[in-house]
Amino acid sequence: KGAKDYAEKALALLKEPNCRQSESRTYLLAYGFIMHWSSPIEVSISGLLDGYYMGIATGDTKCTSWNKFLYLNIVVMTGRGSLEDIVDDFENDVKQMVEWNQLKPSTSTIILWQLVLNLMGHSENTVILTGKAMDQDKLLQESLETKNGLFRLRLSAYRLYAAFIFDEYEIAMEQLEESNMHKGTLQKAIPGTFMVKNMYFHCALTCISMAQ
């Protein structure tokens, strides 16, 4: 509740003069990390989308990109839209992020894009994130070479999600254990985001399924 109060105060301050350049970042922090804990998820969805358009208007390409990724992530994970309706937008979003040289959000969006393709049956193996959007092994190798643990963790989290959806519980458990999600690695890497509680939920379901 305390975080929500501060977020609401920050959003209210945007009405003051000379705050326009901070709009997209403020929306990102408020709706990407705070509001979904205590408000209906639709509030965060609309807020992140507003933050995306605000960033475009002000030229804040970093926050624009993260707003769009977090928006897409919530839409996919909560089923607040048909996958068929959003899958074609991913290619344009990724292209724009790459043009802006926003590597982290663009790569995160690519992984999510491939997850959507897998969920729609557009991959050779439903629990391996390789297809039109990306090559799982190539991304893993690149993340090791660049020592980017965030990409590996996000890849494991989405693979766990796909494995659970397709009843591949042993593979889901492998992802949980390999990335130490049960030891708080997600919370440390991406604190406060909707992805944290969503993945912990699926980690718990995976453990229950394995125990049966």
Side-chain angles (χ1 to χ4, degrees):
K1 186 178 183 300
K4 182 181 179 182
D5 290 342
Y6 279 110
E8 290 175 342
K9 290 176 181 178
L11 292 168
L13 286 173
L14 293 177
K15 298 177 182 179
E16 299 295 325
N18 304 318
C19 287
R20 186 164 174 74
Q21 292 300 321
S22 301
E23 287 179 339
S24 185
R25 178 176 175 79
T26 303
Y27 270 63
L28 171 64
L29 295 174
Y31 295 108
F33 294 82
I34 299 170
M35 292 302 192
H36 62 86
W37 291 99
S38 56
S39 300
I41 197 62
E42 287 79 10
V43 173
S44 291
I45 291 174
S46 61
L48 289 167
L49 194 58
D50 287 343
Y52 165 74
Y53 287 117
M54 289 172 180
I56 289 178
T58 59
D60 187 346
T61 57
K62 180 179 180 179
C63 290
T64 296
S65 300
W66 280 120
N67 270 305
K68 190 58 180 290
F69 165 69
L70 292 178
Y71 161 80
L72 290 169
N73 181 73
I74 293 178
V75 169
V76 171
M77 293 298 168
T78 60
R80 290 303 196 277
S82 168
L83 297 181
E84 288 80 2
D85 291 340
I86 64 172
V87 67
D88 291 335
D89 294 334
F90 275 93
E91 190 165 1
N92 290 330
D93 288 330
V94 168
K95 181 180 179 181
Q96 185 65 81
M97 292 175 190
V98 171
E99 289 179 357
W100 288 334
N101 198 31
Q102 296 299 328
L103 175 61
K104 290 182 179 179
S106 67
T107 302
S108 297
T109 305
I110 286 171
I111 301 172
L112 179 61
W113 179 16
Q114 187 58 54
L115 171 64
V116 170
L117 292 170
N118 279 38
L119 294 175
M120 295 174 66
H122 301 325
S123 61
E124 293 185 5
N125 188 316
T126 54
V127 295
I128 296 178
L129 298 182
T130 294
K132 178 181 179 181
M134 59 169 277
D135 184 300
Q136 176 179 296
D137 292 338
K138 182 178 179 181
L139 179 63
L140 277 172
Q141 183 60 38
E142 290 175 352
S143 67
L144 288 170
E145 292 174 355
T146 58
K147 299 181 180 180
N148 194 315
L150 176 61
F151 293 160
R152 294 197 301 277
L153 182 59
R154 201 178 294 283
L155 182 59
S156 289
Y158 285 150
R159 285 198 68 201
L160 183 151
Y161 180 79
F164 180 82
I165 293 297
F166 292 109
D167 299 332
E168 297 284 356
Y169 302 127
E170 291 186 1
I171 294 177
M173 182 60 74
E174 288 175 4
Q175 297 308 305
L176 186 157
E177 293 177 341
E178 286 179 9
S179 58
N180 289 320
M181 277 184 252
H182 58 304
K183 295 183 179 180
T185 52
L186 270 175
Q187 177 61 20
K188 293 176 183 177
I190 46 177
T193 63
F194 178 80
M195 186 175 182
V196 171
K197 59 183 179 183
N198 184 66
M199 285 300 110
Y200 280 156
F201 175 66
H202 284 90
C203 283
L205 292 179
T206 297
C207 292
I208 291 171
S209 299
M210 288 292 290
Q212 292 178 344

